[in-house]
Amino acid sequence: MTSANNLAPAPAVATSGDRAPRKKSRNSAAMIGGRKGIVWRSAIAVVVAVIMAFPLYWMVVVAFSPRGEVFEPTLRFWPSAWTTENFQRVFELYPVATWFGNSVVIGLFVTFFTVIVNLLAGYAFARLRFRGRNVLFLLTLATMMIPIQAIMVAQFRLVSGLGIYGSYWGVILPGAAAAFGIFLARQFFIGIPDEIVEAAKIDGAGQIRIFLQVVLPLSKPLIAVLILLTLMGSWNDFAWPLIALSDNQLFTLPIGLLYLQNQTAPNYNATMALALISVIPVVVLFLSFQRYFVQGFARSGIR
């Protein structure tokens, strides 16, 4: 007589053919989920880009619109007629070319001195060994927490004592170093392999030669970031040039924009035209150096 256990069906054994559809379905689900995530991230990025670009777009619309159209009750997202009258009026009534030249001169000199100081100080903090190095570096970083308004009085007295108040140098010299630039340069130089520096030392190179011939050629992304940040900061600087410059012919574009806004009969179209003149060089500069900008921050270990 046959037992009940012998009559029970044998358990099914999973074969490789049964597992393949399951793995394929999981991979397909993962691919679909990944595609949905990319679509959502792309959509969010587009929305954020549109929101951030809208002020610039509105500036262009108002700058090229006929005078007085901005006061109409109907909201226009496109000029009724494109005109350059606002730009012509700004150049006729105000020394815009002089203000633009002042911004260029001050920006270039500030960038030149600041980048040199930041590179030298960053290399010293990263590669040289001297007493009090870490303490001095922490004190340098601590200055980033001090607002510019807290040191303006002392800075004004220093500039006046040096006899450079009311000149280009009164704006250039106080901005000839930046704590964030020193920090960024130090982080970048720390990331350079020690083997490269040690090989140069074995060949008999000194610190100056190592810095000029070994480190600097590897620091192009860092230099691009420092140039971009410093030039943009100097170009848009308003508070200190407003205090340090007293002559109308030495004003920069941000101060000229304030001067235009303080007129008795405000012209918003002309104001937007001057603001657009001030913004375009910065936008072009950023778009031109964007690749180096990202590389410099990535290689410095800053996210």
Side-chain angles (χ1 to χ4, degrees), residues 99 103 234-238 251-259 278:
W99 295 343
S103 296
S234 175
W235 187 271
N236 296 321
D237 192 11
F238 171 77
F251 284 174
T252 57
L253 281 174
I255 304 176
L257 187 60
L258 176 66
Y259 183 81
S278 177

Side-chain angles (χ1 to χ4, degrees), residues 109-119 172 175-178 181 226 230:
F109 274 95
V110 170
T111 302
F112 176 77
F113 289 116
T114 302
V115 170
I116 290 179
V117 172
N118 289 346
L119 290 175
I172 294 171
L226 293 177
T230 307

Side-chain angles (χ1 to χ4, degrees), residues 33-49:
R35 292 175 181 175
K36 289 183 179 179
I38 293 175
V39 171
W40 277 108
R41 288 194 295 268
S42 300
I44 294 174
V46 170
V47 172
V48 173

Side-chain angles (χ1 to χ4, degrees), residues 221 224-226 228-229 232 286 289-298:
V225 170
L226 293 177
L228 183 61
L229 291 179
M232 290 176 59
F286 178 78
F289 288 89
Q290 183 179 9
R291 179 167 62 91
Y292 298 101
F293 187 79
V294 176
Q295 290 179 1
F297 274 105

Side-chain angles (χ1 to χ4, degrees), residues 77-90:
F77 290 96
W78 194 261
S80 60
W82 289 86
T83 178
T84 58
E85 176 186 358
N86 301 311
F87 295 90
Q88 295 174 1
R89 182 178 180 82
V90 166

Side-chain angles (χ1 to χ4, degrees), residues 2-219:
T2 308
S3 62
N5 293 334
N6 295 333
L7 297 177
V13 179
T15 63
S16 59
D18 297 329
R19 295 193 188 101
R22 295 181 181 178
K23 290 183 179 180
K24 188 175 181 180
S25 61
R26 291 176 182 175
N27 294 335
S28 300
M31 291 177 61
I32 294 174
R35 292 175 181 175
K36 289 183 179 179
I38 293 175
V39 171
W40 277 108
R41 288 194 295 268
S42 300
I44 294 174
V46 170
V47 172
V48 173
V50 170
I51 294 175
M52 297 184 66
F54 183 78
L56 181 62
Y57 166 76
W58 186 250
M59 186 185 302
V60 174
V61 170
V62 177
F64 285 96
S65 298
R67 184 180 182 183
E69 190 172 286
V70 69
F71 296 105
E72 293 182 359
T74 304
L75 181 62
R76 295 179 179 270
F77 290 96
W78 194 261
S80 60
W82 289 86
T83 178
T84 58
E85 176 186 358
N86 301 311
F87 295 90
Q88 295 174 1
R89 182 178 180 82
V90 166
F91 277 96
E92 290 175 358
L93 298 180
Y94 307 99
V96 177
T98 302
W99 295 343
F100 188 90
N102 294 336
S103 296
V104 171
V105 171
I106 292 176
L108 291 179
F109 274 95
V110 170
T111 302
F112 176 77
F113 289 116
T114 302
V115 170
I116 290 179
V117 172
N118 289 346
L119 290 175
L120 293 174
Y123 180 79
F125 284 126
R127 293 294 174 178
L128 301 184
R129 300 292 183 267
F130 54 91
R131 183 177 299 178
R133 183 187 64 168
N134 294 332
V135 175
L136 185 59
F137 180 68
L138 291 177
L139 290 176
T140 302
L141 292 183
T143 59
M144 297 174 60
M145 296 183 291
I146 302 176
I148 185 63
Q149 293 81 7
I151 62 174
M152 278 187 174
V153 175
Q155 197 165 286
F156 175 79
R157 295 184 62 182
L158 177 63
V159 169
S160 300
L162 293 175
I164 57 177
Y165 172 76
S167 64
Y168 286 149
W169 294 109
V171 181
I172 294 171
L173 291 182
F180 180 75
I182 295 174
F183 167 75
L184 191 67
R186 175 186 180 272
Q187 296 302 110
F188 187 93
F189 292 144
I190 288 177
I192 296 177
D194 295 334
E195 292 79 6
I196 299 177
V197 178
E198 294 300 328
K201 290 181 179 179
I202 294 175
D203 291 338
Q207 292 293 345
I208 297 178
R209 185 179 176 185
I210 292 174
F211 176 73
L212 295 177
Q213 298 183 2
V214 177
V215 175
L216 281 187
L218 300 175
S219 307

